[in-house]
Amino acid sequence: MNVSQHYDSAIPRPPIVTTWQDDATQDLADDTGYQSARVIIVDDDPGLRELLTEFLVDNGLGVEAVSSGAALRARLVQRPCDLVILDMMMPGEDGLSVLRGLAQSDDPPGVIMLSALSSEVDRVVALEMGADDYVTKPSTPREILARIRSVLRRRNRTAATGTDSAGTIEQGDAPRFHTTYRFAGWTLNCRMRSLQSPGGELVSLTEGEFQMMDAFVTHPHAVHTREDMIALSGRADTSSKDRTIDVNISRLRRKLAAFDRTEIIRTVRGKGYLFIADVIGA
């Protein structure tokens, strides 16, 4: 199924760009820590490549699109990238084979798998092989953009490491990439997108709730404004932004409180939300 059927026709369609763009927007730079994040789309569907390239370029990313794993490797020899959006079901060399090769490289880029396969087994296999995220088709370009921002933010390797010798993430630091974050007995696994309670129970999270938790654990002890939270969603329509953010925060608090009454998310009146728990990245 093609992503294009979900494309928002109100979004202007700029000329197709299939070479690197070096002037990423400030909005994206603020989200990820990259002044010019570079992404390669690998998919045998030319319509999807064109659609997604146009949308991501319009949102400040430098994007190149190729049709095969061989073409991807040729591009990476010329210049590395920050993230690869990789189709799982391509003719010839499939996405998992390409992923395996990327994972074995000295400095692998982030990888988001795109797949029409929605079973838990397919998702787990891809994640365990080294993918940072797994998106099931059909999906909207805006959702893919939000996933890209989340992965890039977690994999930011250009700023300070943000950890002391014990792995504790300090206020104001930009953390290195971690797969797992622990706080107040809880464990957030960003690769599996799972939250585990202090007692070992798995707690389900919506995509919006996960994005918030990801922001909180990577930047604890810092106030997160509603505008920060809205940026995580990748949405242009912010007509109901305050209500949506508050609802998601309320749901997160209820889920955390169901297992542990310790205060973790504090409201800072007139400013936003503060994650007060100490966080250790692993």
Side-chain angles (χ1 to χ4, degrees):
M1 303 183 75
N2 198 312
V3 178
S4 61
Q5 67 191 56
H6 297 273
Y7 189 81
D8 186 349
S9 60
I11 298 173
R13 296 172 66 89
I16 187 69
V17 178
T18 56
T19 57
W20 294 124
Q21 302 297 302
D22 291 326
D23 53 347
T25 64
Q26 185 60 45
D27 176 61
L28 184 66
D30 291 342
D31 257 355
T32 67
Y34 285 95
Q35 291 300 313
S36 182
R38 296 180 173 85
V39 175
I40 299 180
I41 300 166
V42 187
D43 199 297
D44 63 303
D45 181 345
L48 186 147
R49 293 198 307 269
E50 178 178 351
L51 164 73
L52 202 49
T53 297
E54 289 180 350
F55 183 82
L56 297 180
V57 167
D58 192 45
N59 280 272
L61 284 159
V63 183
E64 187 167 358
V66 298
S67 62
S68 67
L72 169 66
R73 287 188 290 272
R75 293 293 189 273
L76 291 177
V77 167
Q78 297 171 7
R79 189 175 188 183
C81 70
D82 301 304
L83 186 140
V84 174
I85 300 174
L86 181 58
D87 183 33
M88 193 160 175
M89 300 176 65
M90 295 185 294
E93 185 180 17
D94 63 22
L96 289 180
S97 297
V98 178
L99 174 63
R100 185 180 297 110
L102 291 172
Q104 293 173 350
S105 61
D106 293 335
D107 187 16
V111 178
I112 296 176
M113 300 298 295
L114 280 181
S115 177
L117 303 175
S118 59
S119 75
E120 180 181 8
V121 171
D122 293 313
R123 178 186 176 94
V124 169
V125 167
L127 293 171
E128 289 187 342
M129 287 181 62
D132 295 278
D133 204 348
Y134 188 100
V135 180
T136 303
K137 298 178 182 178
S139 56
T140 66
R142 283 198 173 100
E143 178 186 357
I144 294 172
L145 175 62
R147 301 293 187 100
I148 290 171
R149 286 173 166 169
S150 177
V151 171
L152 290 176
R153 186 174 59 252
R154 297 200 311 266
R155 293 183 61 92
N156 187 349
R157 293 165 293 183
T158 61
T161 61
T163 59
D164 61 20
S165 58
T168 302
I169 299 172
E170 304 294 344
Q171 179 180 1
D173 286 336
R176 67 168 69 129
F177 168 71
H178 294 291
T179 299
T180 303
Y181 297 87
R182 296 183 175 88
F183 59 94
W186 293 81
T187 300
L188 181 71
N189 188 313
C190 293
R191 179 157 290 174
M192 302 301 293
R193 306 178 82 80
S194 65
L195 179 64
Q196 189 176 59
S197 75
E201 299 91 346
L202 287 178
V203 179
S204 64
L205 296 176
T206 66
E207 177 61 25
E209 292 165 355
F210 174 80
Q211 296 286 356
M212 288 185 175
M213 285 300 304
D214 180 50
F216 282 140
V217 298
T218 53
H219 297 85
H221 306 296
V223 175
H224 295 258
T225 67
R226 286 180 174 83
E227 288 71 22
D228 293 336
M229 295 300 185
I230 292 163
L232 296 177
S233 69
R235 296 174 182 169
D237 179 13
T238 59
S239 58
S240 60
K241 59 185 180 181
D242 285 352
R243 183 178 59 188
T244 300
I245 297 303
D246 290 340
V247 166
N248 280 335
I249 290 290
S250 179
R251 288 174 177 170
L252 263 182
R253 282 173 164 160
R254 286 200 300 270
K255 290 180 179 183
L256 294 171
F259 297 91
D260 186 353
R261 303 296 297 182
T262 303
E263 182 184 24
I264 295 176
I265 303 171
R266 177 177 298 170
T267 299
V268 180
R269 189 177 299 275
K271 294 185 178 180
Y273 300 97
L274 179 69
F275 196 79
I276 65 175
D278 292 332
V279 178
I280 296 178

